[in-house]
Amino acid sequence: MPTVTKATSRGRRRKVIFHHNTRQTEHAPRNQDDESTLSVNPKTQQLGRTRAGVHDMASELARSSVPALFRSLPRIQDALATETSIVQEETVQACLPYLTATDGFSQDLSEFGLPRLEREKHIAFLQASLEALPGKFVAYDASRPWIVYWALNGLTLLGSDISQYRQGVIDTFSASQNSDGGFGGGFGQLSHCAASYAAILCLSMVGGREALDLIDRRALWKWLGRLKQKDGGFAVVQGGEVDVRGSYCALVMISLLCLPLDLAHDAPARQFGQTSLLDGLPQWLSRCQTFEGGIACAPNTEAHGAYAFLAIASLCILGDPRETLPKYLDCELLTSWISSRQYGPEGGFAGRTNKLVDTCYSHWIGGCWPMIEVAMDKTTRGIEDRMSSFARHESDTSILNTPAHSLYHREGLIRYILCCCQAESGGLRDKPGKHADAYHSCYALTGLSSAQHRSHFAVTSDLAKGPLECAFGWSPIENPYDDDEMDIKQICDLEDIVEPIHPIFVIPYTAVEHTRSFFSSKAGF
């Protein structure tokens, strides 16, 4: 019989504790009158004890497979207590019971000490996000394209068919597309790069001629030309802020929709000598890297995980990552900063220096690694040799259980997502104590996909024919766990693996291929 109790941690979460009839706990004190009033068959009682014992042994065996790194406090801790260190300690204490499946937790664990992916619950949660929402969500009206994208992308990652939403997506975005070609958050709202990016990805995911023909490519091309800035970057809205969001969203739309690279004759940037949408863009992105090694939203601001992903992905669209990343970024410093964002024992990523883990950075930080690993392939091998040498001198090699050719701890990220971030009622959350939402569900699943799968990058003769073609040189590696040369460690059962995702466009590979094929076959607009 499940008993619902409130935890004593600051997060005030609720948890379900299952008690066996033969076990006495403080949450379910034995009633002294039970033995005198209930008649129990001795054979039945013995069978119950045997089953309970087997369950306990299986659970204990699963828990013992959890590496030491995720079962204890960090080996090095700062003795100086600050507001930041106190909150960090509270977060660790909130995560440890989930990571170790202790303190009353008795969920069904795999042989790797992981809870199952609650696939059906998450599907139901995301489907509900696409239905009529309560009145309080009116504050999120401008984020409507994003809510649709988060839900659809999360559903595809979970293997759910989204074709039923095709007409609803078409109706929604036909109303929010403006005459200038861009999409607003809703009907009558200003065209915005972020809203346009999300809307176009949604139309790409549901696919079909009617959905893709909805996009006014000529007007969109002219609108993007008006967002082009004299310093090389893009504004997110006319007269608005200039940051890497505008650059990434513009590049995704330009490449995916096969838009011309020449600026329209009336584009303001032509007054400053620019002739192409790409003029000065990689140089501008380079100036966004900070002294820490991370990447900021714009030059001379703070490094942030989401902006790192956007800038790195932008450079991977602009050319071969093995050339563009080392040319425009200090990759060693960038790798140092990004690797410092993964924490133990949590296993998840934080978005900035001295911030807490948050499952959305499973994508924003975790999604950087496929691109960086391609760019730093030779350097990576040298790092692995040094780590292997160091591991031989360590008594607890589980702490250094980072697979070869991988610059981050995939297992740690998977454990954080599955252990700490699945809400009991469905959906995924920031961390224990937080509520699930479509945003964190989408990017937790995206990060999980990146950690569970491998992407292959290769430039073919077809891709080398024109600019931006390198964005389409990525493909998923089939059955990476069966390849002896692959380094990825399988710690999830097959039923807990999600679908692969394109590392640049962050939608399914098939959606990218179909959209590109559709528009590349068109002659002009």
Short mmCIF file of all heavy atoms in Angstrom, two decimals, residues 377-403:
data_model
loop_
_atom_site.label_atom_id
_atom_site.label_comp_id
_atom_site.label_asym_id
_atom_site.label_seq_id
_atom_site.Cartn_x
_atom_site.Cartn_y
_atom_site.Cartn_z
N ASP A 377 38.95 16.30 -32.47
CA ASP A 377 39.17 14.86 -32.52
C ASP A 377 40.61 14.48 -32.18
O ASP A 377 40.86 13.60 -31.37
CB ASP A 377 38.82 14.33 -33.91
CG ASP A 377 38.98 12.83 -34.00
OD1 ASP A 377 38.33 12.12 -33.23
OD2 ASP A 377 39.76 12.37 -34.84
N LYS A 378 41.60 15.15 -32.79
CA LYS A 378 43.00 14.80 -32.52
C LYS A 378 43.37 15.14 -31.10
O LYS A 378 44.06 14.39 -30.41
CB LYS A 378 43.90 15.53 -33.51
CG LYS A 378 43.74 15.06 -34.94
CD LYS A 378 44.69 15.77 -35.87
CE LYS A 378 44.52 15.29 -37.31
NZ LYS A 378 45.43 16.00 -38.24
N THR A 379 42.92 16.32 -30.63
CA THR A 379 43.23 16.72 -29.26
C THR A 379 42.59 15.77 -28.27
O THR A 379 43.16 15.43 -27.24
CB THR A 379 42.73 18.16 -29.00
OG1 THR A 379 43.32 19.01 -29.97
CG2 THR A 379 43.10 18.63 -27.62
N THR A 380 41.39 15.31 -28.60
CA THR A 380 40.67 14.40 -27.72
C THR A 380 41.47 13.14 -27.44
O THR A 380 41.54 12.67 -26.31
CB THR A 380 39.32 14.00 -28.36
OG1 THR A 380 38.57 15.18 -28.58
CG2 THR A 380 38.54 13.09 -27.44
N ARG A 381 42.10 12.59 -28.47
CA ARG A 381 42.84 11.35 -28.29
C ARG A 381 43.99 11.55 -27.31
O ARG A 381 44.31 10.67 -26.51
CB ARG A 381 43.35 10.85 -29.64
CG ARG A 381 42.22 10.50 -30.60
CD ARG A 381 42.75 9.97 -31.92
NE ARG A 381 41.67 9.79 -32.87
CZ ARG A 381 40.90 8.72 -32.91
NH1 ARG A 381 41.07 7.74 -32.06
NH2 ARG A 381 39.93 8.63 -33.81
N GLY A 382 44.63 12.72 -27.36
CA GLY A 382 45.70 12.99 -26.42
C GLY A 382 45.19 13.10 -25.00
O GLY A 382 45.82 12.61 -24.05
N ILE A 383 44.03 13.72 -24.83
CA ILE A 383 43.44 13.84 -23.51
C ILE A 383 43.11 12.46 -22.95
O ILE A 383 43.35 12.15 -21.79
CB ILE A 383 42.16 14.71 -23.58
CG1 ILE A 383 42.52 16.15 -23.89
CG2 ILE A 383 41.39 14.64 -22.26
CD1 ILE A 383 41.32 17.04 -24.13
N GLU A 384 42.58 11.58 -23.82
CA GLU A 384 42.21 10.24 -23.36
C GLU A 384 43.43 9.46 -22.88
O GLU A 384 43.37 8.75 -21.88
CB GLU A 384 41.53 9.47 -24.50
CG GLU A 384 40.16 10.02 -24.84
CD GLU A 384 39.76 9.65 -26.23
OE1 GLU A 384 40.51 8.92 -26.90
OE2 GLU A 384 38.69 10.09 -26.66
N ASP A 385 44.55 9.60 -23.60
CA ASP A 385 45.76 8.88 -23.20
C ASP A 385 46.20 9.32 -21.82
O ASP A 385 46.60 8.50 -20.98
CB ASP A 385 46.87 9.12 -24.22
CG ASP A 385 46.58 8.49 -25.57
OD1 ASP A 385 45.72 7.57 -25.60
OD2 ASP A 385 47.18 8.92 -26.57
N ARG A 386 46.13 10.63 -21.56
CA ARG A 386 46.56 11.12 -20.26
C ARG A 386 45.61 10.67 -19.16
O ARG A 386 46.02 10.34 -18.05
CB ARG A 386 46.66 12.66 -20.29
CG ARG A 386 47.77 13.17 -21.19
CD ARG A 386 48.05 14.63 -20.93
NE ARG A 386 46.95 15.49 -21.32
CZ ARG A 386 46.77 15.96 -22.54
NH1 ARG A 386 47.62 15.64 -23.50
NH2 ARG A 386 45.76 16.74 -22.82
N MET A 387 44.30 10.65 -19.47
CA MET A 387 43.32 10.22 -18.48
C MET A 387 43.48 8.73 -18.18
O MET A 387 43.37 8.30 -17.03
CB MET A 387 41.89 10.50 -18.96
CG MET A 387 41.53 11.98 -18.93
SD MET A 387 39.78 12.22 -19.23
CE MET A 387 39.07 11.49 -17.77
N SER A 388 43.76 7.93 -19.20
CA SER A 388 43.95 6.49 -18.99
C SER A 388 45.15 6.24 -18.10
O SER A 388 45.13 5.38 -17.22
CB SER A 388 44.12 5.79 -20.34
OG SER A 388 42.97 5.93 -21.13
N SER A 389 46.22 7.01 -18.32
CA SER A 389 47.41 6.87 -17.50
C SER A 389 47.13 7.23 -16.06
O SER A 389 47.55 6.57 -15.12
CB SER A 389 48.53 7.75 -18.06
OG SER A 389 49.66 7.71 -17.22
N PHE A 390 46.35 8.32 -15.88
CA PHE A 390 46.00 8.75 -14.53
C PHE A 390 45.11 7.73 -13.84
O PHE A 390 45.25 7.44 -12.67
CB PHE A 390 45.29 10.11 -14.59
CG PHE A 390 44.86 10.63 -13.25
CD1 PHE A 390 45.79 10.97 -12.29
CD2 PHE A 390 43.50 10.79 -12.96
CE1 PHE A 390 45.39 11.45 -11.05
CE2 PHE A 390 43.10 11.27 -11.73
CZ PHE A 390 44.04 11.61 -10.78
N ALA A 391 44.17 7.14 -14.61
CA ALA A 391 43.22 6.18 -14.04
C ALA A 391 43.93 4.96 -13.48
O ALA A 391 43.49 4.36 -12.50
CB ALA A 391 42.19 5.76 -15.09
N ARG A 392 45.04 4.57 -14.10
CA ARG A 392 45.76 3.40 -13.63
C ARG A 392 46.35 3.61 -12.24
O ARG A 392 46.69 2.66 -11.54
CB ARG A 392 46.88 3.04 -14.62
CG ARG A 392 46.36 2.43 -15.92
CD ARG A 392 47.50 1.80 -16.69
NE ARG A 392 48.43 2.79 -17.19
CZ ARG A 392 48.31 3.39 -18.37
NH1 ARG A 392 47.28 3.10 -19.16
NH2 ARG A 392 49.21 4.25 -18.78
N HIS A 393 46.48 4.88 -11.82
CA HIS A 393 47.04 5.17 -10.51
C HIS A 393 45.95 5.48 -9.50
O HIS A 393 46.23 5.84 -8.36
CB HIS A 393 48.00 6.36 -10.60
CG HIS A 393 49.21 6.07 -11.43
ND1 HIS A 393 49.21 6.20 -12.81
CD2 HIS A 393 50.45 5.62 -11.08
CE1 HIS A 393 50.41 5.88 -13.28
NE2 HIS A 393 51.18 5.53 -12.27
N GLU A 394 44.70 5.35 -9.91
CA GLU A 394 43.58 5.62 -9.01
C GLU A 394 42.98 4.30 -8.54
O GLU A 394 42.77 3.38 -9.31
CB GLU A 394 42.49 6.43 -9.73
CG GLU A 394 42.83 7.90 -9.88
CD GLU A 394 42.76 8.61 -8.55
OE1 GLU A 394 41.70 8.59 -7.91
OE2 GLU A 394 43.79 9.18 -8.14
N SER A 395 42.67 4.23 -7.25
CA SER A 395 42.07 3.01 -6.71
C SER A 395 40.62 2.88 -7.13
O SER A 395 40.12 1.78 -7.32
CB SER A 395 42.19 3.00 -5.19
OG SER A 395 41.54 4.14 -4.65
N ASP A 396 39.91 4.01 -7.25
CA ASP A 396 38.49 3.97 -7.63
C ASP A 396 38.38 4.45 -9.07
O ASP A 396 38.18 5.63 -9.33
CB ASP A 396 37.66 4.86 -6.70
CG ASP A 396 36.17 4.74 -6.98
OD1 ASP A 396 35.80 3.93 -7.86
OD2 ASP A 396 35.40 5.45 -6.33
N THR A 397 38.54 3.56 -10.03
CA THR A 397 38.52 3.95 -11.43
C THR A 397 37.12 4.31 -11.91
O THR A 397 36.98 4.88 -12.98
CB THR A 397 39.06 2.81 -12.32
OG1 THR A 397 38.30 1.63 -12.07
CG2 THR A 397 40.53 2.55 -12.01
N SER A 398 36.08 4.01 -11.13
CA SER A 398 34.72 4.35 -11.55
C SER A 398 34.56 5.86 -11.66
O SER A 398 33.73 6.35 -12.40
CB SER A 398 33.70 3.78 -10.58
OG SER A 398 33.84 4.37 -9.30
N ILE A 399 35.35 6.60 -10.90
CA ILE A 399 35.25 8.05 -10.94
C ILE A 399 35.71 8.57 -12.30
O ILE A 399 35.28 9.60 -12.78
CB ILE A 399 36.08 8.66 -9.80
CG1 ILE A 399 35.43 8.32 -8.46
CG2 ILE A 399 36.21 10.17 -9.93
CD1 ILE A 399 36.16 8.85 -7.26
N LEU A 400 36.64 7.84 -12.94
CA LEU A 400 37.15 8.25 -14.24
C LEU A 400 36.55 7.41 -15.35
O LEU A 400 37.17 7.17 -16.37
CB LEU A 400 38.68 8.12 -14.25
CG LEU A 400 39.40 9.06 -13.28
CD1 LEU A 400 40.87 8.73 -13.25
CD2 LEU A 400 39.19 10.50 -13.66
N ASN A 401 35.29 7.01 -15.17
CA ASN A 401 34.65 6.13 -16.14
C ASN A 401 34.07 6.93 -17.30
O ASN A 401 32.92 6.78 -17.65
CB ASN A 401 33.55 5.32 -15.45
CG ASN A 401 33.05 4.21 -16.33
OD1 ASN A 401 33.73 3.78 -17.25
ND2 ASN A 401 31.85 3.74 -16.05
N THR A 402 34.87 7.85 -17.84
CA THR A 402 34.47 8.60 -19.02
C THR A 402 34.91 7.83 -20.25
O THR A 402 36.09 7.54 -20.40
CB THR A 402 35.13 9.99 -19.03
OG1 THR A 402 34.77 10.68 -17.83
CG2 THR A 402 34.67 10.78 -20.23
N PRO A 403 33.98 7.47 -21.14
CA PRO A 403 34.35 6.66 -22.30
C PRO A 403 35.37 7.36 -23.17
O PRO A 403 35.45 8.58 -23.23
CB PRO A 403 33.02 6.49 -23.04
CG PRO A 403 31.96 6.79 -22.04
CD PRO A 403 32.56 7.79 -21.12
#
